[in-house]
Every structure is written in structure tokens, then in C-alpha cells.
Amino acid sequence: MARYQVRPREDGRGPYRWSHVVKTRGNLRQGSIYRQMGDELDAADAAQLVTLCDKSGFDMRRVA
């Protein structure tokens, strides 16, 4: 299990910050100012995150 961070791919509109990935009601989402710590994701969640990032144009990195 590990924590991940995501951010939009650079498109020239500005520097984007990394934000943690959190699970809310079974869905993966970007963290907000209210949930800044990322959740531990298992292998199935990580695979789903890779697919979502590829479709939506996000960069992903493993934090812990």
C-alpha cells in the first residue's frame, strides 16, 4: 500500500501543485484543503489511478 500524488500535465497555463489522492465513498479524488493527507492505496486502486490519470491528462507520482 502506498500514497500517491497527482497534478495536471503542464499546458503552459502555470505551475500546478501536487495534491494527494484520497478515497471518498469508494472513489478516487484529488485532496483538498480539507483532506491534505493522502490515503493508502492498494494495487487495485493504484491500477485504477493509472488509468484515470492517462485518460484525464494528469501526472502521477508515488510518495510513500
Side-chain angles (χ1 to χ4, degrees), residues 5-24:
Q5 291 182 336
V6 294
R7 73 173 180 184
R9 290 196 180 115
E10 290 299 327
D11 58 0
R13 290 192 219 165
Y16 296 108
R17 294 182 179 174
W18 291 98
S19 61
H20 285 280
V21 176
V22 296
K23 289 176 73 173
T24 56

Side-chain angles (χ1 to χ4, degrees), residues 1-6 18-21 36-43 46 49 60-64:
M1 295 180 65
R3 291 188 176 144
Y4 294 90
Q5 291 182 336
V6 294
W18 291 98
S19 61
H20 285 280
V21 176
Q36 294 182 4
M37 287 303 300
D39 292 331
E40 298 279 334
L41 303 181
D42 60 10
L49 181 60
M60 179 181 87
R61 70 181 180 186
R62 183 177 174 167
V63 179

Side-chain angles (χ1 to χ4, degrees), residues 26-46:
N27 297 323
L28 299 174
R29 299 181 187 269
Q30 268 186 293
S32 66
I33 60 173
Y34 303 106
R35 295 228 14 219
Q36 294 182 4
M37 287 303 300
D39 292 331
E40 298 279 334
L41 303 181
D42 60 10
D45 291 332

